[in-house]
């Protein structure tokens, strides 16, 4: 289901070798699951203030003689909505790319009723909001909306939608894949197996076991719980830290609640981050937290790059404060390449 997968040892980027990065987990399901939310917002009609007087062009749109305009960054290409989504989207919207919009702002600004944000683009800033007087909704193709200025967008009377649960399974799978890959040194093993320089396989080249190991999940939302269920099947002991205790889930999988994150960090062999990025979780894991972890522990991040203090992590890996890090997300993405 992944649109693009890049699985590489982060040696090529400015990172220590122990960093394993899996980038671009974006699921194709995002686009499809976003549509119902956008349509619902049109049907119910947000209680937004109209910013300009009705115009003949607008009346035509409201009369549904033609589909509403949806602004997208691009179609296809490196940052556009994938071609495979376009047929479906076009059944409901007139897709207008940013390039087309910039060329013909005066006419198109009246037609655009929604912005479809795919892979963080287009950037919805004040300038764009000012130029779209008929905008009703910003539909985000993903769960996390940390890249959107919710306050600013709402101040324009514009609704914001996301796609909760659409990628929960995929993301939980990635969490497990990263944990297993880093435990069993899968990427390094693959490099050794395919390297022209390999003459023999070292007998002591082993990873660590996940069976019987302790997994500490930070953030027991729907993705965290899905990770826990998967880890249970691998006979792992599960600890979790969450703002609120989740007794029902806890009992269902036999997890132990750690009110203090510190306890979880000290006891876990694998620590998996599954929180939203908010001001409270920004750099949640820094030098102090890394030093609390076992030197044999692995940090796995499937939330957002900025949840980890990357400089502190790089130093911790260089000094073997922890065993490894397996990252689905970084800040920025992708990380800068070496010159
Ligand atoms: O990262 C995934 C999402 O925000 O949906």
């Amino acid at each position: 289901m992944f649109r693009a997968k890049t699985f590489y040892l982060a040696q090529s980027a400015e990172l220590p070798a122990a960093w394993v990065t899996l980038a671009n987990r974006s699921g194709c399901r995002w686009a499809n699951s976003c549509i119902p939310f956008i349509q619902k917002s049109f049907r119910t009609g947000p209680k937004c203030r109209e910013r300009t007087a009705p115009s003949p062009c607008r009346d035509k749109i409201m009369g549904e003689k033609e589909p509403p305009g949806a602004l997208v960054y691009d179609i296809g290409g490196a940052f556009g909505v994938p071609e495979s989504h376009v047929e479906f989207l076009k059944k409901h919207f007139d897709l207008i790319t940013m390039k087309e919009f910039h060329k013909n702002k005066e006419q198109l600004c009246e037609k655009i009723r929604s912005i479809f944000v795919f892979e963080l683009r287009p950037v919805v800033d004040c300038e764009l909001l000012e130029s779209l007087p008929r905008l009703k909704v910003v539909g985000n193709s993903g769960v996390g909306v940390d890249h959107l200025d919710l306050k600013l967008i709402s101040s324009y009377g514009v609704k914001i939608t996301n796609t909760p649960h659409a990628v929960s399974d995929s993301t939980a799978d990635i969490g497990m894949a990263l944990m297993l890959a880093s435990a069993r040194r899968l990427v390094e093993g693959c490099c050794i197996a395919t390297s022209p320089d390999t003459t023999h396989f070292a007998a002591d080249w082993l990873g660590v076991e996940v069976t019987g190991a302790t997994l500490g999940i930070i953030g027991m939302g729907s993705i965290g719980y899905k990770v826990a269920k998967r880890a249970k099947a691998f006979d792992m002991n599960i600890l979790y830290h969450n703002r609120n205790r989740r007794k029902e889930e806890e009992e269902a999988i036999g997890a132990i609640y750690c009110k203090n994150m510190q306890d979880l960090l000290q006891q876990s062999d694998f620590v998996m981050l599954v929180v939203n990025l908010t001001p409270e979780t920004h750099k949640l894991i820094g030098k102090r937290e890394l030093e609390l972890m076992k030197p044999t522990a692995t940090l796995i991040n499937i939330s957002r790059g900025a949840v980890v203090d990357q400089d502190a992590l790089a130093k911790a890996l260089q000094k073997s404060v922890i065993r490894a890090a397996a990252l689905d997300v970084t800040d920025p993405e992708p990380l800068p390449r070496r010159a």
Side-chain angles (χ1 to χ4, degrees):
M1 289 303 288
F2 298 122
R3 189 169 69 87
K5 282 194 232 173
T6 324
F7 197 18
Y8 57 94
L9 257 184
Q11 263 163 333
S12 56
E14 288 174 305
L15 282 172
W19 289 40
V20 179
T21 305
L22 180 66
N24 282 341
R25 64 157 174 260
S26 346
C28 298
R29 282 177 289 165
W30 279 357
N32 290 356
S33 56
C34 199
I35 301 302
F37 291 95
I38 294 179
Q39 286 174 327
K40 188 158 184 276
S41 290
F42 276 116
R43 275 201 303 272
T44 54
K47 303 258 181 297
C48 71
R49 60 199 155 88
E50 290 293 330
R51 273 174 281 135
T52 54
S55 70
C57 171
R58 174 193 168 224
D59 290 341
K60 197 171 156 199
I61 293 161
M62 297 306 275
E64 291 181 16
K65 289 202 179 78
E66 55 184 73
L71 183 67
V72 294
Y73 181 77
D74 198 2
I75 293 175
F79 304 114
V81 175
E83 306 270 2
S84 56
H85 298 4
V86 169
E87 193 188 329
F88 180 77
L89 283 165
K90 279 192 172 165
K91 281 189 194 154
H92 305 274
F93 301 100
D94 233 346
L95 295 186
I96 298 161
T97 64
M98 281 297 276
K99 206 166 161 191
E100 288 163 346
F101 176 58
H102 283 306
K103 261 197 209 151
N104 188 4
K105 258 191 184 172
E106 233 165 80
Q107 225 190 329
L108 293 176
C109 70
E110 290 287 330
K111 184 167 170 55
I112 293 169
R113 314 305 300 273
S114 69
I115 301 175
F116 182 43
V117 178
F118 190 84
E119 292 279 309
L120 317 188
R121 289 180 175 84
V123 174
V124 184
D125 57 12
C126 207
E127 195 187 333
L128 185 59
L129 289 162
E130 284 291 337
S131 63
L132 297 172
R134 303 291 169 208
L135 185 68
K136 296 277 185 206
V137 60
V138 171
N140 181 59
S141 67
V143 188
V145 286
D146 46 279
H147 53 290
L148 295 173
D149 187 337
L150 305 185
K151 232 175 171 177
L152 175 76
I153 298 169
S154 311
S155 75
Y156 281 81
V158 172
K159 285 193 171 182
I160 301 147
T161 66
N162 66 347
T163 58
H165 309 298
V167 290
S168 300
D169 281 308
S170 321
T171 311
D173 288 348
I174 290 289
M176 290 303 290
L178 286 172
M179 180 165 63
L180 292 168
S182 59
R184 309 314 316 212
R185 302 176 68 181
L186 203 66
V187 181
E188 291 158 277
C190 178
C191 292
I192 292 170
T194 55
S195 164
D197 302 327
T198 300
T199 52
H200 68 283
F201 295 123
D204 62 350
W205 197 87
L206 293 170
V208 294
E209 297 265 331
V210 299
T211 308
T214 299
L215 169 64
I217 300 172
I218 300 181
M220 189 59 101
S222 73
I223 299 175
Y225 183 53
K226 281 174 187 287
V227 169
K229 284 203 287 187
R230 286 158 171 74
K232 176 96 187 133
F234 281 79
D235 290 331
M236 298 187 80
N237 305 311
I238 300 154
L239 308 178
Y240 78 99
H241 170 75
N242 201 49
R243 268 175 309 183
N244 309 309
R245 192 164 176 178
R246 305 274 308 267
K247 282 218 167 141
E248 212 176 291
E249 287 81 356
E250 194 178 307
E251 275 160 30
I253 45 164
I256 295 171
Y257 180 56
C258 296
K259 195 169 189 312
N260 294 322
M261 192 171 76
Q262 176 168 336
D263 296 338
L264 178 147
L265 292 169
Q266 285 172 328
Q267 294 173 55
S268 301
D269 300 303
F270 297 88
V271 172
M272 198 175 304
L273 304 174
V274 203
V275 291
N276 290 325
L277 175 61
T278 64
E280 291 74 40
T281 61
H282 185 257
K283 294 198 178 170
L284 181 71
I285 302 297
K287 182 174 185 288
R288 185 183 156 270
E289 290 71 27
L290 291 161
E291 283 171 358
L292 286 170
M293 288 171 65
K294 296 181 188 180
T296 49
T298 298
L299 179 73
I300 300 139
N301 188 6
I302 56 169
S303 58
R304 286 288 186 266
V307 169
V308 175
D309 177 341
Q310 289 185 163
D311 292 339
L313 177 58
K315 283 190 190 119
L317 290 167
Q318 277 152 357
K319 291 187 191 156
S320 300
V321 172
I322 61 169
R323 172 185 169 266
L327 309 173
D328 179 30
V329 283
T330 56
D331 182 29
E333 285 174 11
L335 286 168
R337 306 295 95 175
R338 274 194 221 284

